[in-house]
Amino acid sequence: MNKVYIARSDGTIYLGDQPRGTNHSENKNIFEDSLNYDGWYLNYNKSEPGLLIYSVGIGDEISELYVYLKTVRSSSRGRSLEHRIQLNASISKSGFINMNQNNKICVILGVYTISKKKILCTWDPLKKNNDGRQKSCYIDIRTIAKAMRDGFAKRVDNAGDIVYAFEPQFLRYYIVNINNLHSMSGE
């Protein structure tokens, strides 16, 4: 088996075997547990191919939340520091079609887990709309490692887009600020 870079909780990386990662059900539980507390509530509505659709209550406001949710794995392009999720051509386009409409939010989430540590990775849905084609969303493993150490990290990817990685407790902050976060200039 090929060795891949793996993030450590101290912010460093090392070469090792590809972690098992999480399955769809585990990813869904991580996502739901990240939102469904402290005045927020989450109600699962339905799923479409590759997409989960929820109603989310944020205070008095209720929004429809479209979630593309995948496990982060190492890249197959031979770039040792690159990890990714892949949006298949067959996924539902509903999240991309409805994003940025009143009270409709679309998020693309990747789940990275190692030794019970969970990190969520996010990409700008406006930029990662797959338009019915297969689309990979990349993140540098060093960004994930930084998020494991610091709780929250961002990086500008090779396409000039801002990619975020953070512990699950920051998901609510991300959702509320998604448009502002992805329109910021990179550092």
Side-chain angles (χ1 to χ4, degrees), residues 11 22 35 50 119 126:
T22 46
L35 292 182
I119 295 295
L126 285 171

Side-chain angles (χ1 to χ4, degrees), residues 115-161:
S115 302
K116 298 185 181 183
K117 183 80 171 177
K118 301 166 186 79
I119 295 295
L120 300 177
C121 304
T122 62
W123 297 264
D124 185 350
L126 285 171
K127 304 265 178 94
K128 298 303 179 185
N129 182 343
N130 72 346
D131 293 317
R133 297 181 313 270
Q134 186 167 297
K135 179 87 168 183
S136 292
C137 302
Y138 298 101
I139 188 163
D140 190 297
I141 190 66
R142 294 171 293 197
T143 306
I144 295 170
K146 184 177 179 188
M148 289 179 78
R149 182 191 67 211
D150 300 341
F152 196 95
K154 81 174 188 176
R155 184 182 189 106
V156 177
D157 68 13
N158 292 337
D161 300 328

Side-chain angles (χ1 to χ4, degrees), residues 16 30 33 47 50 53 56 58 60 64 68 79 87 89 93 96 107 110 118 127 129 137 140 146 157 159:
I30 291 166
D33 290 347
S47 63
I53 303 171
V56 61
I58 306 168
D60 293 334
E64 195 164 47
Y68 295 99
R79 297 178 180 170
L87 302 175
K93 295 179 188 175
F96 297 120
V107 295
K118 301 166 186 79
K127 304 265 178 94
N129 182 343
C137 302
D140 190 297
K146 184 177 179 188
D157 68 13

Side-chain angles (χ1 to χ4, degrees), residues 24 44 46-53 66-70 86-96 107 130 132-133:
H24 180 71
Y44 172 76
K46 65 179 180 174
S47 63
E48 295 177 4
L51 178 66
L52 300 169
I53 303 171
Y66 297 85
V67 183
Y68 295 99
L69 183 64
K70 305 289 263 178
Q86 192 162 334
L87 302 175
N88 297 321
S90 61
I91 65 170
S92 170
K93 295 179 188 175
S94 294
F96 297 120
V107 295
N130 72 346
R133 297 181 313 270

Side-chain angles (χ1 to χ4, degrees), residues 13 82 105 140 155-156 184:
I13 59 174
E82 187 175 80
I105 304 164
D140 190 297
R155 184 182 189 106
V156 177
M184 293 177 154

Side-chain angles (χ1 to χ4, degrees), residues 12 17 36 53 57 60 65 68 88 99 114 126 160:
T12 61
D17 293 328
N36 208 9
I53 303 171
D60 293 334
L65 183 60
Y68 295 99
N88 297 321
M99 71 179 150
I114 186 81
L126 285 171

